[in-house]
Amino acid sequence: MKKVMIYTDGACSGNPGPGGWGAILLYQDANGKEYKKEISGGEPETTNNRMELTGVIEALK
């Protein structure tokens, strides 16, 4: 079974206010080669909870 390690975070300035989310996805293949993918995004008017959850949702996509 393939495994991907995912780290996420989200935040905003004010609640609601401008915010962003980010995720790092790490994968190691059978030969030990490591792969890393970084994704991020944001919204001009959002909440902290929404950004925290958006990071997880986008990483799982």
Side-chain angles (χ1 to χ4, degrees):
M1 177 191 294
K2 295 180 182 179
K3 293 184 181 181
V4 177
M5 184 82 67
I6 300 173
Y7 297 92
T8 67
D9 197 14
C12 69
S13 181
N15 203 12
W21 59 269
I24 299 173
L25 294 83
L26 303 171
Y27 171 72
Q28 188 175 51
D29 68 15
N31 297 320
K33 184 173 179 181
E34 295 181 352
Y35 299 87
K36 178 169 93 170
K37 181 175 183 178
E38 297 178 17
I39 58 175
S40 62
E43 296 287 332
E45 188 73 11
T46 189
T47 64
N48 185 64
N49 286 346
R50 184 171 173 221
M51 291 295 94
E52 293 279 2
L53 290 172
T54 300
V56 175
I57 292 166
E58 293 298 319
L60 292 173
K61 282 183 180 180

